[in-house]
Amino acid sequence: MAGTDRAAVAAAAIDRIDGWLQQHAPRARAALRPPASEADLVAAQEAVGQPLPPDLRAWWLYADGAHSGLHADGGWLIPPGFAPYPISEALGSRRLWMDVARKVAPLDRWDDFVNSENSRPAATVCETWLPAWLPVATNHGGGNLFVDLRGGPRIGCVMEFHRDTGALAQPPWADVADMLDDIAERLEEGEAEIDDSGRVDWP
């Protein structure tokens, strides 16, 4: 999907998600943070060393993730059970996983390994966190959703990473725009569960 198309699909999906949350799950809507600042977007871009996909920019310009803590808990906006990261927490998570990867890999082979894996196409599975992966959501239990910014026709796809297995499954979404459109559709079709406190959950 071309960049302008990604941005347009993301914007339309965000409008649908926002409208649904305001009507059906105001607590979940209130848990979303204000839009990201340009400085935060630049920090994310500099961390991965390349421009952010336009659909990811659109998402973070709508909401810089979700507030954390029991009183701000809006549930799991992203199925099957992920909460969107603020950029600062996304970058912190990325640094953590990179540190873990360096400790696991033999030091004398680290650079060769990273260069080799980073040269493979986006959506290629890998057990170890890579620098071209940018987290966008967490399950607060060792699992992340990330955008794969390696090259190739599937650049920008959204994949799952789990601390015990790495990223071994194929991407559930082609890109952030696809993810947002899927969320909007599933919300509108009544697939989400809303508890008495207004949290979003997925069966």
Side-chain angles (χ1 to χ4, degrees), residues 41-133:
L41 292 167
V42 169
Q45 180 173 299
E46 291 179 345
V48 293
Q50 59 183 298
L52 301 180
D55 48 351
L56 178 55
R57 280 185 60 89
W59 173 240
W60 272 334
L61 284 171
Y62 162 66
D64 183 20
H67 293 286
S68 57
L70 292 177
H71 296 295
D73 184 10
W76 308 107
L77 180 58
I78 305 172
F82 291 91
Y85 264 136
I87 292 178
S88 61
E89 292 182 20
L91 297 182
S93 177
R94 179 179 177 274
R95 286 191 296 269
L96 172 64
W97 288 120
M98 288 299 302
D99 288 344
V100 170
R102 288 188 182 94
K103 291 175 182 177
V104 171
L107 190 60
D108 59 345
R109 295 171 48 201
W110 170 247
D111 288 340
D112 290 342
F113 171 78
V114 168
N115 290 336
S116 173
E117 291 298 318
N118 262 13
S119 68
R120 302 176 76 186
T124 303
V125 298
C126 184
E127 296 181 12
T128 303
W129 192 274
L130 298 175
W133 293 354

Side-chain angles (χ1 to χ4, degrees), residues 10 33 136 150 157 166:
R33 293 163 53 92
V136 293
R150 290 178 290 178
C157 65

Side-chain angles (χ1 to χ4, degrees), residues 5-16:
D5 294 336
R6 282 190 185 187
V9 170
I14 288 167
D15 284 346
R16 293 161 62 198

Side-chain angles (χ1 to χ4, degrees), residues 78-80 145 156-159 171-176 178-179 182-183 186:
I78 305 172
L145 290 177
C157 65
V158 180
M159 298 180 69
W173 295 289
D175 48 40
V176 172
D178 184 40
M179 179 185 77
D182 184 45
I183 293 170
R186 293 173 71 169

Side-chain angles (χ1 to χ4, degrees), residues 19-31 74 187 194 198-200:
W20 190 94
L21 291 176
Q22 291 192 51
Q23 182 175 358
H24 300 285
R27 175 172 176 168
R29 177 62 185 87
L187 290 174
I194 310 299
R199 298 174 71 257
V200 174

